[in-house]
């Protein structure tokens, strides 16, 4: 539920709780239109992953607090991944977050948990490829740039869909690195 990097308005941190609430109001239905018996679904909710005692606000300590927060989230994700692997089934982790910066520790943890390169599809109005934004490398404007720095995601394996708002720095970076993007107008 983190929203310490939101740059426009608060509320992103309410996302996980709201999505849980909404998910319980609709029946599970398969692609074939068959109702799935809820007892057959094996879903485990690990709850909110919130860093212990870390508060991120403006000021000089904000970046250090954000780094500490993200390190804790990354560690918790790796613990959950180990539990999923030990379950012995085809399990995957679905992470629902607050602002876009939550992608940073999640992708870092994922990159650490796999042995091979991976691809990533980002569905977003913005490329989120700033190197730093508002004096932070961990801003909500930077997660795709940080994902590329893991070494497991190559630029040609990043696809950004639905973009409608750019700046010259991001456009230059995408073109120089061969990052594919599909603007919202093309999808429409």
């Amino acid at each position: 539920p983190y929203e310490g990097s939101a740059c426009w308005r608060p509320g992103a941190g309410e996302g996980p709780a709201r999505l849980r609430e909404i998910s319980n109001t609709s029946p599970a239905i398969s692609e074939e239109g068959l109702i799935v018996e809820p007892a057959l679904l094996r879903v485990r909710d690990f709850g909110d992953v919130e860093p212990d005692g870390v508060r991120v606000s403006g000021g000089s300590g904000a970046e250090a607090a954000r780094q500490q927060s993200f390190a804790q989230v990354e560690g918790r994700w790796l613990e959950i991944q180990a539990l999923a692997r030990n379950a012995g089934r085809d399990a995957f982790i679905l992470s629902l977050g607050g602002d876009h910066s939550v992608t940073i520790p999640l992708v870092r943890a994922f990159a650490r948990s796999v042995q091979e390169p991976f691809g990533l599809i980002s569905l977003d109005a913005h490329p989120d490829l700033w190197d730093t934004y508002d004096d932070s490398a961990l801003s909500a404007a930077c997660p795709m740039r940080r994902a590329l720095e893991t070494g497991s995601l190559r630029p040609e394996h990043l696809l950004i869909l639905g973009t409608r708002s750019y700046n010259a720095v991001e456009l230059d970076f995408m073109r120089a690195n061969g990052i594919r993007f599909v603007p919202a107008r093309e999808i429409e």
Side-chain angles (χ1 to χ4, degrees), residues 19-43:
L19 288 167
R20 283 186 188 100
E21 180 183 324
I22 292 169
S23 70
N24 291 324
T25 63
S26 299
I29 299 180
S30 73
E31 294 85 0
E32 294 84 20
L34 302 172
I35 295 177
V36 178
E37 178 61 39
L40 297 177
L41 295 175
R42 295 182 179 144
V43 177

Side-chain angles (χ1 to χ4, degrees), residues 105-122:
L106 299 175
V107 170
R108 284 178 175 171
F110 182 77
R112 287 177 51 192
S113 75
V114 296
Q115 303 304 313
E116 63 278 341
F118 60 87
L120 181 65
I121 299 172
S122 173

Side-chain angles (χ1 to χ4, degrees), residues 6-182:
C7 57
W8 186 43
R9 64 178 182 194
E14 298 172 19
R18 185 74 176 119
L19 288 167
R20 283 186 188 100
E21 180 183 324
I22 292 169
S23 70
N24 291 324
T25 63
S26 299
I29 299 180
S30 73
E31 294 85 0
E32 294 84 20
L34 302 172
I35 295 177
V36 178
E37 178 61 39
L40 297 177
L41 295 175
R42 295 182 179 144
V43 177
R44 183 165 178 194
D45 186 343
F46 286 93
D48 291 345
V49 178
E50 295 185 84
D52 300 326
V54 177
R55 291 286 174 248
V56 178
S57 59
S60 60
E63 190 71 358
R66 193 172 287 125
Q67 288 173 356
Q68 181 184 352
S69 169
F70 285 6
Q72 289 180 12
V73 170
E74 186 176 335
R76 181 66 177 132
W77 191 95
L78 289 167
E79 291 171 12
I80 293 168
Q81 175 69 8
L83 291 171
R85 283 191 174 149
N86 290 336
R89 295 188 283 286
D90 290 333
F92 68 93
I93 297 174
L94 173 63
S95 302
L96 307 170
D99 71 46
H100 294 207
S101 69
V102 301
T103 305
I104 296 169
L106 299 175
V107 170
R108 284 178 175 171
F110 182 77
R112 287 177 51 192
S113 75
V114 296
Q115 303 304 313
E116 63 278 341
F118 60 87
L120 181 65
I121 299 172
S122 173
L123 179 59
D124 196 339
H126 309 97
D128 290 347
L129 283 165
W130 285 87
D131 188 32
T132 61
Y133 189 84
D134 284 343
D135 297 322
S136 175
L138 303 177
S139 163
C142 304
M144 293 305 106
R145 190 70 164 258
R146 301 293 81 82
L148 290 166
E149 290 173 353
T150 65
S152 297
L153 175 64
R154 292 187 279 238
E156 64 271 20
H157 294 156
L158 173 59
L159 174 62
I160 303 174
L161 300 176
T163 48
R164 60 170 171 69
S165 178
Y166 310 89
N167 65 66
V169 173
E170 289 176 304
L171 281 172
D172 290 346
F173 185 83
M174 288 189 290
R175 290 177 178 139
N177 290 283
I179 295 172
R180 295 172 295 156
F181 65 101
V182 181

